[in-house]
């Protein structure tokens, strides 16, 4: 187990990771106007590079985390994210913005394959630990909506990048002072728990986890990057103020994030496949229903489908904790994330063209279809009951 400051800073790091990646999507309308573009949809594709490098960067980040050290990589994460965010704030053209966001995405790629394995290392209840960490990450998503909304309205969109950048640098200093010291890199340690179930190869598990994570990441990117403009569209005539929209969306994210604590608690006690498929089935049904609603009714259904989307997040990390030895978790997570997040970066590019040509109803339809694909993939998980670490150790 890590000391308390390390646990807190690792969870804050997850919040900052998601918050800083979503500032652009939240502020895209104002940035587009500042850069002289007529429509925000025309600027949205310039954010693709951030999510592409957020994905492919996970592969070298995971390898370095296992072989060089997770503590060292987390220091690179905090300081790199902070400096990259300040660079984004200084951009003057869409192309400069694309390059700066790509750098931000590259540093952001470090967290998931390094920070989460570091956090669960030696955790007595890994499902709960992952759930709390997931809650922190989604509070970062909520923070992107409310903080960016207010900073954008009262201090400009550039300040929305500067403030979290400075916070990230401060966290880096605290982590350098108080973060748990590593006696050796994880790859140099003796192998511990984590193995595939009898009769099921790790290669098959890796394939299923990667495919499920890819479709799940695609859905997460589609929702979190489009939700601000989606809610603005569905509340036409009711609320159009960016700060108010930001508060409403932050409330949705915050309330929905609590689901991760519930899911984390259940993962330690029940079969992963049954839980995972149930959450994804609910996702699909809610997204189909969302295509028919607007106004305050849409806000309610948005809360429900984001609850299901956030609730699905802990499962892939829980599978890695359950089946993969700690000495190579960062590398396995990095390979899985490189494929899933790299492929799902197309979601950021899709949002602008899909909404511009077919509207938000079509986008919600794409999201519902993505949930169905995830559900089909999950049928290939091992059918035998899979217990979390708490049950596994009894």
């Amino acid at each position: 187990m890590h000391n308390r400051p390390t646990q807190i800073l690792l969870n804050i790091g997850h919040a900052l990771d998601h918050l800083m990646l979503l500032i652009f999507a939240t502020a895209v309308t104002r940035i587009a106007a500042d850069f002289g573009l007529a429509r925000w949809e025309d600027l949205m594709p310039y954010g693709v590079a951030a999510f592409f490098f957020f994905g492919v960067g996970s592969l070298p980040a995971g390898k370095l985390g296992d072989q060089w050290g997770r503590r060292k990589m987390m220091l690179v994460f905090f300081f790199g994210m902070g400096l990259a965010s300040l660079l984004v704030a200084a951009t003057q053209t869409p192309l400069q913005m694309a390059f700066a966001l790509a750098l931000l995405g590259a540093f952001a790629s470090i967290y998931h394959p390094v920070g989460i394995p570091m956090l669960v290392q030696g955790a007595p209840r890994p499902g709960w630990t992952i759930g709390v960490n997931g809650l922190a990450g989604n509070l970062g998503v909520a923070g992107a909506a409310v903080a960016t909304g207010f900073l954008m309205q009262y201090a400009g969109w550039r300040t929305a990048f500067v403030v979290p950048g400075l916070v990230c640098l401060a966290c880096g200093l605290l982590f350098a002072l108080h973060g748990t010291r590593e006696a050796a890199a994880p790859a140099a340690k003796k192998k511990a728990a984590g193995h595939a179930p009898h009769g099921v190869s790790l290669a098959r598990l890796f394939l299923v986890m990667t495919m499920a994570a890819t479709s799940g990441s695609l859905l997460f990117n589609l929702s979190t990057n489009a939700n601000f403009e989606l809610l603005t569209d569905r509340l036409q005539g009711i609320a159009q103020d960016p700060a108010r929209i930001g508060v409403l969306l932050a409330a949705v994210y915050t309330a929905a994030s609590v689901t991760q604590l519930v899911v984390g608690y259940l993962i330690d006690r029940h079969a992963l496949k049954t839980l995972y498929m149930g959450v994804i089935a609910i996702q699909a049904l809610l997204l189909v229903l969302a295509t028919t609603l607007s106004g305050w009714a849409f806000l309610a259904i948005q809360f429900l489908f984001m609850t299901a989307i956030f609730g699905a997040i802990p499962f892939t990390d829980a599978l890695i904790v359950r089946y993969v030895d700690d000495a190579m978790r960062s590398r396995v997570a990095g390979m899985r994330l490189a494929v899933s997040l790299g492929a799902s970066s197309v979601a950021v590019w899709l949002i602008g063209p899909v909404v511009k040509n077919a509207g938000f109803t079509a986008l919600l339809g794409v999201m519902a279809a993505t949930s169905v694909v995830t559900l089909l993939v999950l049928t290939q998980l091992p059918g035998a009951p899979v217990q979390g670490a708490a049950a596994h150790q009894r």
Side-chain angles (χ1 to χ4, degrees), residues 84-175:
S85 187
L86 298 180
L87 183 62
V88 174
T91 59
Q92 301 294 326
T93 68
L95 189 59
Q96 290 177 6
M97 174 70 72
F99 281 116
L101 287 173
L103 186 63
L104 182 68
F107 283 114
S109 72
I110 295 171
Y111 185 83
H112 289 85
V114 177
I116 294 176
M118 185 176 184
L119 186 65
V120 300
Q121 189 176 339
R125 293 189 298 163
W128 178 257
T129 301
I130 291 169
V132 172
N133 182 254
L135 172 63
N138 287 328
L139 289 178
V141 175
V146 66
T148 304
F150 274 99
L151 289 172
M152 182 171 58
Q153 180 161 341
Y154 298 110
W157 67 265
R158 296 180 191 278
T159 308
F161 283 98
V162 170
V163 172
L166 295 176
V167 171
C168 206
L169 291 173
C171 287
L173 289 173
L174 290 172
F175 196 83

Side-chain angles (χ1 to χ4, degrees), residues 193-378:
H195 57 84
H198 181 70
V200 179
S201 69
L202 185 59
R204 175 188 165 186
L205 279 169
F206 179 75
L207 179 62
V208 173
M209 285 190 294
T210 300
M211 293 176 66
T214 300
S215 54
S217 296
L218 182 64
L219 184 61
F220 182 83
N221 281 350
L222 284 170
S223 59
T224 54
N225 282 277
N227 270 340
F228 191 89
E229 298 297 337
L230 174 59
L231 187 58
T232 301
D233 177 78
R234 289 297 193 258
L235 292 183
Q236 283 185 13
I238 299 175
Q240 292 294 290
D241 177 69
R244 187 178 182 190
I245 294 292
V247 169
L248 290 173
L249 191 55
V252 167
Y253 288 155
T254 302
S257 295
V258 178
T259 310
Q260 299 219 30
L261 295 178
V262 177
V263 169
Y265 176 85
L266 293 174
I267 282 173
D268 285 330
R269 290 160 176 78
H270 299 282
L272 286 176
K273 181 176 180 179
T274 303
L275 288 171
Y276 202 171
M277 291 186 68
V279 170
I280 299 301
I282 292 170
Q283 267 184 22
L285 291 173
L286 291 171
L287 286 165
V288 170
L289 182 59
T291 63
T292 67
L293 301 175
S294 61
W296 295 120
F298 179 81
L299 181 65
I301 200 68
Q302 187 180 44
F303 160 69
L304 293 175
F305 72 65
M306 288 311 301
T307 294
I309 289 172
F310 286 169
I313 294 172
F315 286 101
T316 50
D317 289 316
L319 285 168
I320 288 177
V321 171
R322 173 63 181 86
Y323 294 128
V324 180
D325 179 75
D326 180 63
M328 60 183 299
R329 280 178 189 163
S330 287
R331 280 169 285 175
V332 171
M335 288 186 289
R336 188 260 296 173
L337 288 161
V339 176
S340 64
L341 296 179
S344 66
S345 65
V346 71
V348 183
W349 177 83
L350 278 173
I351 291 169
V354 169
V355 173
K356 186 175 181 179
N357 295 309
F360 280 108
T361 299
L363 182 65
L364 289 166
V366 170
M367 292 166 64
T370 303
S371 288
V372 173
V373 170
T374 308
L375 190 61
L376 293 174
V377 169
L378 292 179

